[in-house]
Amino acid sequence: MRKFSLTLTVCFSLVLCSVSQAQVLVSDLGVETGIIGAGAPAHTIGLQRHQQTIVMDTGAQKYALRYVVALDPKNPQAAIPGEGYIGMPEPVGCNWYGGGFFDLQINGKSIGTTLVHSFTGRSSAGRGTTDFVFDTAQAVVRVRFVARAGGDCLFAQALLEPKVEIKSVRVALRCYPSAFVSNADRHVLTSSRDIKQGDRTQLDVAGEGWAFYYDRIYDTGYAGVNQTGAGPCAALWVPSQIGKVGLNVGNYAVETVLDLKPTLCDFRFVFFDHAGRKNEAAKTDFQKRAPALAQELAAFAFTDPGVAQWPLAQKQAEVRRALASVPVDKEAAARYEHWGRELADQLKQLHDGSAGAIMAEADATRTIAQWEGGLADLKLKALLNDI
């Protein structure tokens, strides 16, 4: 049985700025647990909360992604989403909701009811990557978020490896533009219209490929009785991947439901949190950038070079040099030999791009973390032994 890995974070480079290339700082805030109490969704009260957050700091913007579910000790392999399971608590938790803003449903079932296989973050080649990998009955799924050094948005991909016939794929998005308030004036702007609070509508798939979510009362800095306006948010998608888009502009939450084409397996999005920016300034900027972003998203390379291009032969040579100085450490030698065999198979499967590539990459990410995590100790032993 495949083991679950809930806490792995790999940082191939934790340097925010280097002489040669700016980097994205990726930080794992660790797993938080506790008993869920009153005020939470009724079906989760009394269960254990499992929450883990990974932060990607581009230098221009800080985005945090969170995995959060309830766990039942009587059934530890199952996940029980409360309000959601993929959240974005930073820059602010109200825009792309920190408690769950992104829900992928396959054949009518949320992937969030399956315990995440791995939730990982890493930095390499001027970008930060955060992955949620789920091994569900319908498909192996990887939801990947990519932030670029100096960038102010997140590129996102939902990649599927089907196990059964896929008849429907849906993504449900939730935001609370600018503040958790009900005395609001919610609006959603598209490329052709402004949709006001209280409206339910279908977007024109071909002509409305993005949405800008804002509140006319709670603009950035507006101070209400209990809340201050944080700023608007936005999303962009690839129209050719969409069957239909439904929008419900409530007086509290705004829900966007995208029915995706089930014949496809690669779905793409861009998310903005414009916290700290006034509605008009953020809107003008986003409208100006949207056409170019749409083209870029369609061709965006979601492949993580930090894993796909990890130099196994070079790394093995580095380990051999260190082991030569500590020949008595047979345990380390056996460990790295084992990891080397694993990585050779995992990277080959990843490069082949065949079925199983998602899990091969997830496993390679874990193995690389173990490799790099043990290398510093091995080199220190070698240095002390040479003195």
Side-chain angles (χ1 to χ4, degrees):
M1 180 179 292
R2 191 179 301 278
K3 294 182 179 180
F4 293 102
S5 173
L6 297 179
T7 61
L8 174 65
T9 293
V10 187
C11 294
F12 297 130
S13 172
L14 288 181
V15 180
L16 180 60
C17 280
S18 67
V19 173
S20 58
Q21 185 179 24
Q23 295 289 331
V24 176
L25 178 64
V26 179
S27 307
D28 186 339
L29 303 186
V31 174
E32 301 173 74
T33 61
I35 301 302
I36 300 172
H43 67 284
T44 66
I45 293 175
L47 300 179
Q48 185 181 64
R49 176 183 291 105
H50 178 100
Q51 179 174 292
Q52 182 183 355
T53 305
I54 294 175
V55 181
M56 297 189 289
D57 188 344
T58 72
Q61 183 64 283
K62 185 183 293 185
Y63 281 102
L65 293 160
R66 173 173 290 166
Y67 176 67
V68 55
V69 292
L71 300 177
D72 186 345
K74 298 178 182 177
N75 187 12
Q77 298 302 309
I80 306 169
E83 295 178 285
Y85 53 97
I86 295 178
M88 190 189 297
E90 290 188 61
V92 291
C94 59
N95 278 338
W96 297 115
Y97 179 42
F101 81 98
F102 186 100
D103 179 22
L104 179 66
Q105 303 160 21
I106 302 174
N107 292 347
K109 184 173 183 179
S110 172
I111 65 170
T113 58
T114 298
L115 186 66
V116 72
H117 168 273
S118 54
F119 175 42
T120 62
R122 52 203 176 273
S123 178
S124 62
R127 56 198 270 171
T129 302
T130 297
D131 287 347
F132 299 77
V133 176
F134 298 86
D135 190 359
T136 77
Q138 294 78 30
V140 176
V141 179
R142 185 191 73 203
V143 181
R144 169 167 288 176
F145 295 88
V146 177
R148 296 185 299 194
D152 61 350
C153 64
L154 286 180
F155 290 83
Q157 179 197 44
L159 186 67
L160 279 59
E161 286 181 1
K163 299 179 182 180
V164 299
E165 181 184 359
I166 304 299
K167 298 180 179 179
S168 68
V169 183
R170 169 176 285 184
V171 167
L173 306 175
R174 187 193 315 169
C175 64
Y176 301 82
S178 205
F180 292 114
V181 290
S182 55
N183 61 329
D185 188 8
R186 310 296 204 196
H187 284 256
V188 178
L189 179 73
T190 74
S191 56
S192 60
R193 53 181 164 153
D194 189 284
I195 303 164
K196 67 181 187 300
Q197 183 170 299
D199 284 352
R200 290 176 177 261
T201 188
Q202 297 286 323
L203 300 189
D204 172 39
V205 171
E208 296 176 300
W210 53 262
F212 180 89
Y213 307 80
Y214 69 103
D215 193 287
R216 284 188 174 174
I217 296 175
Y218 283 84
D219 198 355
T220 302
Y222 175 85
V225 176
N226 297 311
Q227 293 282 337
T228 299
C233 57
L236 185 147
W237 48 85
V238 180
S240 62
Q241 299 178 345
I242 308 297
K244 64 179 181 179
V245 181
L247 193 66
N248 179 17
V249 187
N251 69 337
Y252 190 46
V254 179
E255 297 175 342
T256 308
V257 177
L258 301 100
D259 287 323
L260 310 175
K261 293 182 178 179
T263 54
L264 303 177
C265 294
D266 178 345
F267 305 100
R268 295 157 174 247
F269 314 87
V270 176
F271 294 100
F272 280 85
D273 189 323
H274 296 290
R277 301 193 68 189
K278 291 284 190 178
N279 290 339
E280 284 304 312
K283 178 177 68 176
T284 299
D285 180 59
F286 180 73
Q287 286 177 307
K288 184 183 300 183
R289 295 169 60 185
L293 272 172
Q295 292 185 353
E296 185 178 11
L297 177 61
F300 191 83
F302 279 95
T303 302
D304 179 8
V307 178
Q309 298 172 18
W310 198 75
L312 177 59
Q314 176 184 322
K315 296 289 187 177
Q316 287 175 314
E318 183 181 18
V319 167
R320 284 194 294 269
R321 288 193 295 271
L323 287 172
S325 296
V326 284
V328 297
D329 197 342
K330 304 297 184 184
E331 183 179 342
R335 189 163 57 245
Y336 274 97
E337 183 180 355
H338 172 68
W339 287 339
R341 290 195 302 268
E342 280 191 335
L343 277 166
D345 292 339
Q346 291 159 357
L347 294 174
K348 181 180 184 300
Q349 191 170 10
L350 174 58
H351 293 150
D352 289 345
S354 56
I358 291 176
M359 206 58 75
E361 183 182 33
D363 292 341
T365 299
R366 181 190 64 242
T367 308
I368 290 170
Q370 294 170 329
W371 185 295
E372 299 286 12
L375 191 56
D377 287 342
L378 180 61
K379 286 184 174 180
L380 179 59
K381 288 180 183 178
L383 177 63
L384 294 174
N385 201 52
D386 287 340
I387 294 176

